[in-house]
Amino acid sequence: QVNLAESGGGSVQAGGSLRLTCVASGHTLKGYCMTWFRQAPGQEREGLASIDSDDDTTYANSVKGRFTISKDNAKNTLYLQMNNLQPEDTAIYYCAADTAMYGVGSGGLCYNYPPDLWGQGTQVTVSS
């Protein structure tokens, strides 16, 4: 049983930064394609950034240049560094894993979609 647990969310003012963390337990992340998603109230879920086993990455246009995805295989941990946050970034942020071991696709998503493992989410609130 693989579990994903996000942390690092919180409240910041516009222009601020946060780093989200997703810790995996029960299995190594090393071979998976990992994705950060977010969902704001009343809006569809949005894929933001993905990273695969070769450390190739892809970003959605909405976060390119502001967010950075990375992972530490030794710590079995995925990160999302978020800079220059804006009120429209307010959402619940989720990490997810595609265990089929395909690579990244485009637009912030893994090639194989949807992912089959999800964390519980962490709230990010950005005030103006």
Side-chain angles (χ1 to χ4, degrees):
Q1 178 86 15
V2 181
N3 291 305
L4 302 176
E6 304 94 335
S7 62
S11 298
V12 296
Q13 291 191 326
S17 298
L18 285 173
R19 187 176 79 158
L20 304 184
T21 298
C22 172
V23 178
S25 59
H27 196 280
T28 177
L29 291 179
K30 191 174 182 179
Y32 296 164
C33 185
M34 302 295 299
T35 303
W36 284 101
F37 290 87
R38 69 185 177 191
Q39 188 163 22
Q43 297 189 20
E44 292 187 358
R45 183 175 63 199
E46 178 186 14
L48 303 176
S50 292
I51 185 168
D52 66 16
S53 60
D54 293 325
D55 288 340
D56 291 329
T57 59
T58 178
Y59 293 91
N61 288 334
S62 59
V63 303
K64 196 175 295 182
R66 299 190 299 127
F67 291 10
T68 302
I69 190 171
S70 62
K71 60 185 173 73
D72 185 332
N73 290 328
K75 295 182 178 180
N76 230 22
T77 300
L78 178 74
Y79 303 100
L80 185 68
Q81 177 66 43
M82 306 186 295
N83 298 328
N84 192 23
L85 284 161
Q86 300 300 314
E88 55 265 33
D89 294 316
T90 295
I92 300 174
Y93 284 68
Y94 301 88
C95 66
D98 165 41
T99 63
M101 299 189 183
Y102 288 94
V104 295
S106 62
L109 297 174
C110 294
Y111 181 81
N112 191 39
Y113 180 85
D116 48 329
L117 296 175
W118 293 84
Q120 83 288 350
T122 186
Q123 176 71 46
V124 171
T125 302
V126 185
S127 59
S128 58

